[in-house]
Amino acid sequence: MTPEVARRHYLEAMGITAWASRYQLPNALPTQACEWDETPAKTPPRERLHALLDDAPAPRPRSQAPITEPSSASASPSAVRALLGNAPVVETPQEAIASPVPIPAPSPRVDAPLKPLTFSFSCLCVGGRWLNVCEGEMSPVEQQLLANMLRAAGVLEGDMPSVTYFKWPPLATTFTPEEPLEEAQEGVAAFIAGAASRQGWTLEQVLWWGAEDTPDDSPLAHVMALANGQSSTLSLPVWQGPALASLTQQASAKRALWPRLAALGKQWGGE
Protein backbone atom coordinates (compact mmCIF):
# COMPACT_ATOMS: atom_id res chain seq x y z
CA MET A 1 0.00 0.00 0.00
CA THR A 2 1.45 3.31 -1.03
CA PRO A 3 1.72 6.16 1.51
CA GLU A 4 -0.89 8.16 -0.42
CA VAL A 5 -3.43 5.33 -0.24
CA ALA A 6 -2.76 4.83 3.45
CA ARG A 7 -3.13 8.53 4.11
CA ARG A 8 -6.52 8.62 2.39
CA HIS A 9 -7.69 5.55 4.32
CA TYR A 10 -6.72 7.20 7.59
CA LEU A 11 -8.51 10.42 6.66
CA GLU A 12 -11.69 8.59 5.60
CA ALA A 13 -11.66 6.45 8.73
CA MET A 14 -11.46 9.60 10.88
CA GLY A 15 -14.33 11.18 8.96
CA ILE A 16 -12.16 13.71 7.12
CA THR A 17 -12.96 14.22 3.48
CA ALA A 18 -9.93 14.02 1.19
CA TRP A 19 -9.88 16.23 -1.86
CA ALA A 20 -7.82 15.66 -4.96
CA SER A 21 -6.70 18.52 -7.16
CA ARG A 22 -8.04 18.73 -10.68
CA TYR A 23 -5.71 21.41 -12.01
CA GLN A 24 -2.01 21.99 -11.59
CA LEU A 25 -1.06 25.48 -10.48
CA PRO A 26 1.94 27.19 -12.13
CA ASN A 27 5.27 26.06 -10.68
CA ALA A 28 3.47 23.52 -8.45
CA LEU A 29 4.51 19.88 -8.15
CA PRO A 30 2.15 17.41 -9.83
CA THR A 31 -0.22 15.47 -7.57
CA GLN A 32 1.08 12.02 -6.72
CA ALA A 33 -0.80 9.41 -8.77
CA CYS A 34 -2.18 6.34 -7.02
CA GLU A 35 -4.90 3.73 -7.41
CA TRP A 36 -7.98 4.57 -5.39
CA ASP A 37 -11.12 2.55 -4.91
CA GLU A 38 -14.09 4.86 -5.21
CA THR A 39 -16.50 2.20 -3.85
CA PRO A 40 -17.53 3.22 -0.32
CA ALA A 41 -16.51 0.75 2.34
CA LYS A 42 -19.25 -1.10 4.19
CA THR A 43 -17.38 -1.56 7.47
CA PRO A 44 -17.53 1.23 10.07
CA PRO A 45 -14.68 3.76 9.94
CA ARG A 46 -13.38 2.83 13.42
CA GLU A 47 -12.99 -0.87 12.57
CA ARG A 48 -11.34 -0.14 9.24
CA LEU A 49 -8.92 2.26 10.95
CA HIS A 50 -7.96 -0.37 13.52
CA ALA A 51 -7.41 -2.84 10.68
CA LEU A 52 -5.13 -0.40 8.98
CA LEU A 53 -3.18 0.11 12.20
CA ASP A 54 -2.82 -3.64 12.72
CA ASP A 55 -1.69 -4.15 9.13
CA ALA A 56 0.69 -1.19 9.16
CA PRO A 57 4.29 -2.28 8.60
CA ALA A 58 6.86 -1.70 11.30
CA PRO A 59 8.75 1.58 10.88
CA ARG A 60 12.14 1.30 9.29
CA PRO A 61 15.25 2.17 11.27
CA ARG A 62 16.27 5.83 11.08
CA SER A 63 19.56 4.94 9.42
CA GLN A 64 17.65 3.40 6.47
CA ALA A 65 15.11 6.18 6.08
CA PRO A 66 15.58 8.47 3.10
CA ILE A 67 17.25 11.72 3.97
CA THR A 68 14.57 13.75 2.25
CA GLU A 69 11.70 12.13 4.21
CA PRO A 70 10.83 14.11 7.37
CA SER A 71 10.44 12.12 10.59
CA SER A 72 7.05 13.73 11.29
CA ALA A 73 5.52 12.93 7.89
CA SER A 74 3.04 10.38 9.33
CA ALA A 75 1.64 9.71 12.81
CA SER A 76 2.51 6.48 14.63
CA PRO A 77 -0.24 3.86 15.16
CA SER A 78 -0.15 4.38 18.93
CA ALA A 79 -0.81 8.09 18.51
CA VAL A 80 -3.79 7.42 16.22
CA ARG A 81 -5.24 4.92 18.74
CA ALA A 82 -4.87 7.54 21.43
CA LEU A 83 -6.88 9.97 19.31
CA LEU A 84 -9.67 7.37 19.14
CA GLY A 85 -9.68 7.10 22.93
CA ASN A 86 -8.51 3.49 23.12
CA ALA A 87 -4.94 3.90 24.33
CA PRO A 88 -2.78 6.56 26.00
CA VAL A 89 -0.14 8.32 23.98
CA VAL A 90 3.24 6.76 24.58
CA GLU A 91 6.09 8.61 23.01
CA THR A 92 8.71 6.30 21.60
CA PRO A 93 12.16 7.62 22.41
CA GLN A 94 14.15 8.34 19.32
CA GLU A 95 17.86 8.04 19.04
CA ALA A 96 19.60 11.36 19.06
CA ILE A 97 21.46 12.06 15.90
CA ALA A 98 24.96 13.26 16.65
CA SER A 99 25.60 16.52 14.90
CA PRO A 100 28.33 19.03 15.43
CA VAL A 101 27.30 22.07 17.41
CA PRO A 102 27.45 25.02 15.03
CA ILE A 103 29.79 27.74 16.16
CA PRO A 104 28.10 31.11 15.73
CA ALA A 105 29.91 33.37 13.36
CA PRO A 106 31.25 36.56 14.88
CA SER A 107 28.85 39.41 14.42
CA PRO A 108 30.04 41.96 11.89
CA ARG A 109 31.44 45.14 13.27
CA VAL A 110 28.95 47.97 13.04
CA ASP A 111 30.58 51.35 12.99
CA ALA A 112 28.81 54.25 14.60
CA PRO A 113 26.99 56.45 12.06
CA LEU A 114 28.95 59.51 11.02
CA LYS A 115 27.71 62.90 12.10
CA PRO A 116 27.67 65.91 9.77
CA LEU A 117 29.87 68.92 10.48
CA THR A 118 27.98 71.69 12.22
CA PHE A 119 28.81 75.34 11.52
CA SER A 120 27.30 78.58 10.25
CA PHE A 121 28.47 81.88 8.82
CA SER A 122 27.19 85.22 7.56
CA CYS A 123 28.35 86.65 4.27
CA LEU A 124 27.91 89.71 2.08
CA CYS A 125 29.51 90.75 -1.19
CA VAL A 126 30.93 94.22 -1.80
CA GLY A 127 30.85 95.50 -5.35
CA GLY A 128 30.24 91.98 -6.64
CA ARG A 129 33.97 91.36 -6.14
CA TRP A 130 34.89 90.76 -2.51
CA LEU A 131 33.00 88.27 -0.37
CA ASN A 132 33.01 89.11 3.35
CA VAL A 133 32.59 86.09 5.65
CA CYS A 134 31.99 86.09 9.41
CA GLU A 135 31.46 82.91 11.42
CA GLY A 136 28.06 82.69 13.08
CA GLU A 137 25.31 85.26 12.77
CA MET A 138 26.49 88.83 12.30
CA SER A 139 24.86 91.20 14.79
CA PRO A 140 23.61 94.68 13.77
CA VAL A 141 26.51 96.30 15.67
CA GLU A 142 29.02 94.15 13.79
CA GLN A 143 27.34 94.98 10.48
CA GLN A 144 27.58 98.71 11.20
CA LEU A 145 31.24 98.40 12.21
CA LEU A 146 32.09 96.47 9.04
CA ALA A 147 30.34 99.08 6.88
CA ASN A 148 32.26 101.92 8.58
CA MET A 149 35.62 100.14 8.12
CA LEU A 150 34.98 99.35 4.45
CA ARG A 151 33.89 102.94 3.77
CA ALA A 152 36.96 104.30 5.55
CA ALA A 153 39.20 102.09 3.42
CA GLY A 154 37.47 103.21 0.21
CA VAL A 155 36.13 99.72 -0.53
CA LEU A 156 32.44 100.40 0.08
CA GLU A 157 30.47 103.14 -1.59
CA GLY A 158 26.79 103.60 -0.93
CA ASP A 159 24.59 101.32 1.13
CA MET A 160 25.70 98.17 2.88
CA PRO A 161 24.81 94.99 0.95
CA SER A 162 22.35 92.63 2.54
CA VAL A 163 23.74 89.91 4.80
CA THR A 164 23.01 86.25 4.04
CA TYR A 165 23.10 83.64 6.77
CA PHE A 166 24.21 80.09 5.94
CA LYS A 167 23.88 77.07 8.23
CA TRP A 168 25.20 73.56 7.76
CA PRO A 169 23.68 71.06 7.65
CA PRO A 170 20.49 72.66 6.34
CA LEU A 171 18.41 69.67 7.52
CA ALA A 172 20.34 67.60 10.05
CA THR A 173 17.78 64.77 10.25
CA THR A 174 17.35 64.28 6.50
CA PHE A 175 20.36 62.11 5.73
CA THR A 176 23.37 60.43 7.27
CA PRO A 177 26.59 61.69 5.69
CA GLU A 178 29.12 59.31 4.21
CA GLU A 179 31.91 61.90 3.95
CA PRO A 180 31.02 64.76 6.33
CA LEU A 181 33.88 67.08 5.37
CA GLU A 182 33.59 66.55 1.63
CA GLU A 183 29.83 66.98 1.69
CA ALA A 184 30.13 70.19 3.75
CA GLN A 185 32.70 71.62 1.35
CA GLU A 186 30.50 70.81 -1.62
CA GLY A 187 27.53 72.41 0.15
CA VAL A 188 29.40 75.67 0.84
CA ALA A 189 30.83 75.81 -2.67
CA ALA A 190 27.38 75.24 -4.18
CA PHE A 191 25.84 77.92 -1.95
CA ILE A 192 28.43 80.56 -2.92
CA ALA A 193 28.33 79.62 -6.59
CA GLY A 194 24.53 79.79 -6.61
CA ALA A 195 24.48 83.22 -4.97
CA ALA A 196 27.10 84.50 -7.40
CA SER A 197 25.13 83.20 -10.37
CA ARG A 198 21.84 84.72 -9.21
CA GLN A 199 23.26 88.13 -8.31
CA GLY A 200 25.90 88.43 -11.02
CA TRP A 201 28.95 88.40 -8.78
CA THR A 202 32.46 88.04 -10.14
CA LEU A 203 34.30 87.03 -7.01
CA GLU A 204 37.97 87.92 -6.72
CA GLN A 205 38.72 87.51 -3.03
CA VAL A 206 37.32 86.47 0.33
CA LEU A 207 37.64 88.65 3.45
CA TRP A 208 37.34 86.24 6.34
CA TRP A 209 36.65 88.22 9.49
CA GLY A 210 37.62 86.18 12.53
CA ALA A 211 40.02 83.83 10.76
CA GLU A 212 42.83 84.90 13.07
CA ASP A 213 40.78 83.80 16.10
CA THR A 214 39.39 80.60 14.59
CA PRO A 215 41.09 77.38 15.81
CA ASP A 216 42.61 75.20 13.12
CA ASP A 217 40.46 72.24 14.19
CA SER A 218 37.15 74.12 13.94
CA PRO A 219 34.59 72.87 11.38
CA LEU A 220 34.67 76.12 9.41
CA ALA A 221 38.46 76.03 9.20
CA HIS A 222 38.32 72.48 7.83
CA VAL A 223 35.68 73.49 5.31
CA MET A 224 37.55 76.56 4.08
CA ALA A 225 40.71 74.45 3.68
CA LEU A 226 43.23 77.28 3.63
CA ALA A 227 46.67 76.66 2.18
CA ASN A 228 49.10 79.49 1.33
CA GLY A 229 46.33 82.08 1.60
CA GLN A 230 44.07 80.19 -0.82
CA SER A 231 40.81 78.37 -0.13
CA SER A 232 40.67 75.12 -2.06
CA THR A 233 36.93 74.89 -1.39
CA LEU A 234 36.07 78.24 -2.97
CA SER A 235 39.14 78.45 -5.25
CA LEU A 236 39.70 82.05 -4.12
CA PRO A 237 42.42 83.91 -2.21
CA VAL A 238 41.51 84.63 1.40
CA TRP A 239 42.38 87.70 3.45
CA GLN A 240 42.34 86.83 7.16
CA GLY A 241 41.34 89.44 9.70
CA PRO A 242 40.32 89.67 13.37
CA ALA A 243 36.82 88.89 14.59
CA LEU A 244 34.28 91.69 14.34
CA ALA A 245 33.11 90.99 17.91
CA SER A 246 36.57 91.74 19.29
CA LEU A 247 36.86 94.92 17.19
CA THR A 248 33.63 96.26 18.68
CA GLN A 249 35.11 96.00 22.18
CA GLN A 250 38.76 96.98 21.68
CA ALA A 251 39.76 100.37 20.27
CA SER A 252 43.39 99.28 20.18
CA ALA A 253 42.45 96.42 17.83
CA LYS A 254 40.86 98.93 15.44
CA ARG A 255 43.98 101.10 15.41
CA ALA A 256 46.18 98.06 14.79
CA LEU A 257 43.95 97.05 11.90
CA TRP A 258 44.02 100.41 10.10
CA PRO A 259 47.24 99.84 8.09
CA ARG A 260 45.80 96.59 6.73
CA LEU A 261 42.53 98.34 5.84
CA ALA A 262 44.47 100.99 3.96
CA ALA A 263 46.25 98.23 2.03
CA LEU A 264 42.88 96.75 1.17
CA GLY A 265 41.76 100.13 -0.17
CA LYS A 266 44.77 100.31 -2.48
CA GLN A 267 44.16 96.78 -3.67
CA TRP A 268 40.52 97.60 -4.31
CA GLY A 269 41.50 100.61 -6.44
CA GLY A 270 44.03 98.56 -8.37
CA GLU A 271 47.12 100.33 -7.09
Side-chain angles (χ1 to χ4, degrees):
M1 183 179 294
T2 63
E4 178 64 17
V5 174
R7 184 182 69 86
R8 294 197 180 188
H9 277 300
Y10 284 128
L11 293 177
E12 182 184 0
M14 290 185 290
I16 300 176
T17 304
W19 300 92
S21 61
R22 299 179 59 187
Y23 304 98
Q24 181 178 351
L25 297 176
N27 302 323
L29 293 176
T31 303
Q32 184 178 1
C34 64
E35 297 180 0
W36 181 253
D37 186 9
E38 299 293 340
T39 304
K42 298 180 180 180
T43 56
R46 182 182 296 271
E47 296 181 5
R48 287 188 289 108
L49 181 58
H50 279 289
L52 290 174
L53 295 176
D54 296 336
D55 296 340
R60 291 179 296 177
R62 181 175 297 273
S63 59
Q64 299 179 2
I67 297 177
T68 58
E69 181 180 354
S71 59
S72 60
S74 60
S76 62
S78 60
V80 178
R81 290 195 181 94
L83 293 175
L84 298 175
N86 295 336
V89 177
V90 179
E91 295 293 339
T92 304
Q94 299 181 354
E95 298 179 358
I97 301 177
S99 60
V101 179
I103 301 176
S107 57
R109 179 180 177 182
V110 180
D111 296 332
L114 298 177
K115 296 182 180 180
L117 296 180
T118 303
F119 62 92
S120 63
F121 61 84
S122 303
C123 63
L124 61 92
C125 186
V126 178
R129 297 167 51 189
W130 286 6
L131 182 68
N132 292 259
V133 176
C134 173
E135 185 172 8
E137 191 170 1
M138 192 182 302
S139 65
V141 175
E142 294 173 351
Q143 295 181 36
Q144 186 61 45
L145 174 62
L146 178 59
N148 294 339
M149 291 189 299
L150 294 178
R151 289 193 183 98
V155 176
L156 176 62
E157 297 179 359
D159 297 333
M160 184 74 166
S162 60
V163 179
T164 303
Y165 180 71
F166 178 82
K167 180 181 179 181
W168 185 266
L171 296 175
T173 59
T174 303
F175 62 92
T176 301
E178 298 180 358
E179 298 292 340
L181 178 58
E182 182 178 352
E183 293 175 8
Q185 291 174 336
E186 292 177 355
V188 171
F191 167 74
I192 299 300
S197 176
R198 290 190 302 271
Q199 303 185 37
W201 298 344
T202 304
L203 297 178
E204 302 173 356
Q205 184 175 230
V206 176
L207 306 183
W208 183 4
W209 299 94
E212 297 178 351
D213 305 327
T214 301
D216 296 336
D217 58 350
S218 67
L220 185 57
H222 287 303
V223 170
M224 294 296 287
L226 295 183
N228 300 323
Q230 185 87 7
S231 171
S232 60
T233 301
L234 302 178
S235 300
L236 290 171
V238 179
W239 178 89
Q240 304 178 53
L244 295 176
S246 62
L247 292 174
T248 58
Q249 300 175 1
Q250 301 177 7
S252 59
K254 298 178 185 177
R255 290 191 294 267
L257 181 62
W258 173 246
R260 300 180 61 188
L261 290 177
L264 284 177
K266 293 181 180 180
Q267 183 180 354
W268 178 265
E271 298 182 7

